[in-house]
Amino acid sequence: MTAETSVRLGLPFVEAGQAQKELAHNEALAMIDLAVQAGVEAADVDVPPANPLSGQCWIVGAAPVGAWEGAAGAIAGWSANGWRFVRPREGLRAWVADRRLWGVYSDGAWRIGIVDAGTIRIGGVQVVGERLAAVPTPAGGSVIDAEARAAIDAVLARLREHGLIEA
């Protein structure tokens, strides 16, 4: 990025006295169109599609070829003027249509379908929060019903499997 482009998305600025300012302005709009409320057809794609439609986008894979060479990890969007690329920044989100999942660019890579959260609330009610200490498995005692113990063990096992309680 240079002084002629924006810091976050590398959008071209219109310079004072610049000839054909509409070109820089239109290029910036095309890049914004790719990045804002981003949605892509698929992720981890290395080969550009043969017949893309204007406005279709993909997340470029790790080993791109052809017109996408050198654009690993970028959002590639087809326009009337050819391919445009948006380099992702930390926190950029895109809907990945073929997987029906959100992708988030984090720590230098796209993470598809992974949700990081401190708390999950549904209807204002916390349903998942920070993992708490392990619940001990019932043991010993002469009056514990065997079926109740098996049911409790099964519940604890499922909670541990899902990572909701410590193993």
Side-chain angles (χ1 to χ4, degrees):
M1 295 198 224
T2 67
E4 293 86 35
T5 61
S6 68
V7 175
R8 293 176 50 87
L9 294 176
L11 304 174
F13 289 134
V14 175
E15 300 292 326
Q18 176 181 342
Q20 297 183 319
K21 292 179 185 197
E22 68 279 0
L23 295 178
H25 177 74
N26 289 344
E27 181 65 19
L29 289 177
M31 300 297 284
I32 289 170
D33 193 45
L34 294 179
V36 175
Q37 296 294 321
V40 300
E41 303 298 317
D44 303 319
V45 179
D46 290 320
V47 179
N51 298 305
L53 299 175
S54 189
Q56 284 186 311
C57 299
W58 290 263
I59 294 175
V60 180
V65 297
W68 289 1
E69 190 171 339
I75 293 178
W78 181 252
S79 71
N81 295 319
W83 290 106
R84 289 193 162 84
F85 300 94
V86 172
R87 298 269 176 212
R89 297 203 30 111
E90 191 73 13
L92 181 64
R93 290 171 40 108
W95 176 251
V96 183
D98 70 334
R99 300 183 198 182
R100 301 193 54 74
L101 296 170
W102 283 102
V104 176
Y105 192 79
S106 179
D107 296 324
W110 283 98
R111 298 172 42 185
I112 313 294
I114 298 171
V115 176
D116 289 320
T119 300
I120 297 176
R121 296 177 188 272
I122 297 177
V125 176
Q126 179 176 323
V127 294
V128 178
E130 184 178 332
R131 185 183 287 188
L132 301 176
V135 175
T137 301
S142 58
V143 235
I144 295 178
D145 176 66
E147 289 180 21
R149 184 188 304 260
I152 291 169
D153 283 343
V155 169
L156 291 173
R158 292 298 180 268
L159 291 172
R160 288 181 183 119
E161 274 180 37
H162 289 283
L164 296 175
I165 63 172
E166 199 172 291

